Amino acid sequence: RMSRHAQKLRDHDINPCVEETDATTKCMTDNNYQKHMCSDYFLKYKNCRKFWHDIMMQRRRNGVKPEMPSANERKKILESMG
């Protein structure tokens, strides 16, 4: 069984960057944990985290609940941006 923390990290409604996390982990595994081989994946993950953190902070300032949009809501946000 996964810990509660691990389950949260796998929950698409809580963690907007599950796909980036998985891609980074796969790259590290495939490249024998040579971090420099996966810098693009780390950058994508970092950009994902920053993007959704900024959205979350904006929603918090505006009193919008929940602060992190659901997976469906995030998909619509991304689609509206092109």
Side-chain angles (χ1 to χ4, degrees):
R1 259 179 59 77
M2 282 195 289
S3 70
R4 182 171 270 150
H5 180 71
Q7 286 174 336
K8 275 185 167 181
L9 291 178
R10 302 298 313 153
D11 185 336
H12 287 269
D13 281 329
I14 295 172
N15 179 0
C17 302
V18 172
E19 289 172 26
E20 290 79 1
T21 302
D22 290 349
T24 303
T25 303
K26 183 180 181 327
C27 179
M28 288 291 282
T29 304
D30 293 350
N31 289 289
N32 202 24
Y33 294 88
Q34 295 179 50
K35 214 172 177 180
H36 70 278
M37 300 288 283
C38 301
S39 53
D40 286 351
Y41 291 96
F42 284 111
L43 186 61
K44 284 179 188 167
Y45 172 78
K46 185 178 170 189
N47 289 339
C48 178
R49 295 293 302 170
K50 180 180 178 351
F51 177 81
W52 290 112
H53 179 264
D54 291 348
I55 298 263
M56 198 172 80
M57 296 311 291
Q58 186 64 50
R59 286 168 66 103
R60 185 177 291 167
R61 278 192 295 273
N62 295 339
V64 178
K65 297 277 184 195
E67 291 167 358
M68 177 56 71
S70 69
N72 270 346
E73 206 178 337
R74 288 196 308 269
K75 187 178 176 195
K76 288 176 186 159
I77 290 169
L78 291 174
E79 284 170 356
S80 75
M81 295 174 72

